Amino acid sequence: MILVGGGLANSLIAHRILIERPDFPLLVVERGASLGGNHTWSFHDSDLTDGQLQWVEPLIASRWSSHELRFPRRRRTINDGYNSVTSERLHDIVAPALKDRKRLETDVAKVNPDSIVLANGERIEARAVIDGRGDPGGSHLDVGYQKFLGLFVRLSEPHGLSGPILMDATVEQIDGYRFVYTLPVSDTEALIEDTYYADRPDLDHDRLRQGIEDYAKKQGWSIAAITGEEKGVLPITLGGDLDAFWAEGPEGVARSGMRGAFFHPTTGYSLPEAVRLADEIAGISDLESTSLFELTHRRSKDLWRRTGYYR
C-alpha cells in the first residue's frame, strides 16, 4: 500500500495497520520534512470507542477532564474528557514505526489506483493507493471557512485554568463569527487561537496576532514569550454535490482526510473520522485498490448523509 500524504489521516491508517501487522508492506510519501505538518488536533472522549481510545492513547500529548464554554450571557463547564494530538507527537510515534517505509520531502506528480509517479519521474507500483493530500479544491462543494491563528505562549504567572476554553465568544464579533480557543498545556503555557467562521479564506496574520495578545491581557495573563504558532483555513461545508466531488478524480483512487471530505461540516474536526476510517481499513484482510476505493467512497457518502443537519 502507498499512502500519499503524511498528514493525520494517512498517519493514523499506517499506525493502525502496523499495530496489527508490524511487517505490512506500506509506504508513506510526504512532501514535508515530517509527518503531520504543523497542527494540533483535538477530540472528546465521547468521540471514540474505548478500543479506539486505547490505540490512539500514545499519540495524545495533553488530556483534560473538563472544558469550558463562554458566551456573552452564558458560561458552562462540562465534565467530559478532552484530548489533543500534536503533529510533533504524531511524528515521534509513527515515524519510528514506519522505519524505512516513509519518504519525506518527496513530491508526487500523479496518483493512480495501483501506482504513483513522483515529481522526479520515478514510478512506484502497489496493490493499493490512498490519496490523503488535503483539500483538493474544486467547485463542487459549497463552503465557508473556519480560519485561525494560534500562538503557543509562555506566561509570566500561572493562567489558573483547570481545562481548555473551547469557545470564548465574549470577544468582539468581526469578520463573521469569532471566538477564542485556549488549550492550557501546563500551568504557565497555553495555545491560544483566534478563530473565525467567515465567508472569505483570507487570514490577516498581524491582526489575529494582535487579537490574541489583547485577549491574553484581558484575561490578566502576561505573555513572557511566544514559543510557536500554527495557522489554518479549513473548509466548512454548506452544501454541494458530493458525487461530482468524487468524480473529479483521480478515478478509482481511495481517499482519506480532507481529500475525501472526512471532516465534520460545522466544527471541522477530522480526528474522529480519521480514527474510524483507520480502524475499518486495518480490519480488512485483503487490502487492494478496488476494495479500498469502495470503502472510502461509501464512508464519505455515509458521513455526508449523517451530517446533513449540520450543513
Side-chain angles (χ1 to χ4, degrees), residues 85-236:
V85 173
T86 62
S87 50
E88 293 84 0
R89 184 66 167 262
L90 183 76
H91 180 86
D92 289 346
I93 296 297
V94 179
L98 286 170
K99 300 177 182 176
D100 60 352
R101 290 170 288 190
K102 61 183 180 298
R103 294 181 66 166
L104 303 177
E105 298 181 282
T106 302
D107 285 322
V108 175
K110 187 175 182 182
V111 176
N112 304 302
D114 58 359
S115 66
I116 63 171
V117 179
L118 304 183
N120 64 8
E122 179 184 357
R123 180 185 178 91
I124 307 174
E125 298 185 351
R127 293 189 64 207
V129 174
I130 299 179
D131 190 354
R133 291 177 293 172
D135 183 7
S139 59
H140 298 299
L141 300 184
D142 302 326
V143 298
Y145 301 94
Q146 181 193 146
K147 54 189 182 182
F148 60 89
L149 173 70
L151 298 182
F152 291 90
V153 300
R154 187 172 69 252
L155 305 175
S156 301
E157 302 289 341
H159 45 65
L161 297 176
S162 59
I165 306 172
L166 299 195
M167 188 175 288
D168 187 343
T170 64
V171 294
E172 182 185 6
Q173 294 298 301
I174 51 177
D175 191 18
Y177 170 56
R178 178 190 179 211
F179 63 91
V180 175
Y181 173 86
T182 303
L183 296 180
V185 179
S186 71
D187 288 345
T188 57
E189 295 173 298
L191 167 63
I192 308 174
E193 287 187 352
D194 198 359
T195 305
Y196 299 77
Y197 281 80
D199 294 329
R200 302 182 307 276
D202 53 293
L203 195 76
D204 188 335
H205 179 279
D206 292 339
R207 181 172 64 80
L208 269 64
R209 183 184 176 108
Q210 186 61 54
I212 293 170
E213 294 176 356
D214 292 344
Y215 178 82
K217 185 177 181 179
K218 188 175 180 180
Q219 304 308 307
W221 304 334
S222 175
I223 297 177
I226 295 173
T227 58
E229 72 172 49
E230 64 178 41
K231 59 184 177 181
V233 180
L234 305 177
I236 298 299

Side-chain angles (χ1 to χ4, degrees), residues 8-9 12-13 15-16 43 47-49 51-57 59 85 262 270-282 299:
L8 175 69
L12 288 180
I13 292 169
H15 178 57
R16 186 69 183 94
F43 66 98
D47 287 331
L48 305 180
T49 67
Q52 290 166 345
L53 278 170
Q54 185 175 1
W55 70 260
V56 170
E57 174 78 29
L59 307 174
V85 173
F262 289 106
S270 58
L271 188 141
E273 290 303 326
V275 168
R276 294 173 194 134
L277 180 61
D279 243 3
E280 185 165 355
I281 289 175
R299 286 197 65 92

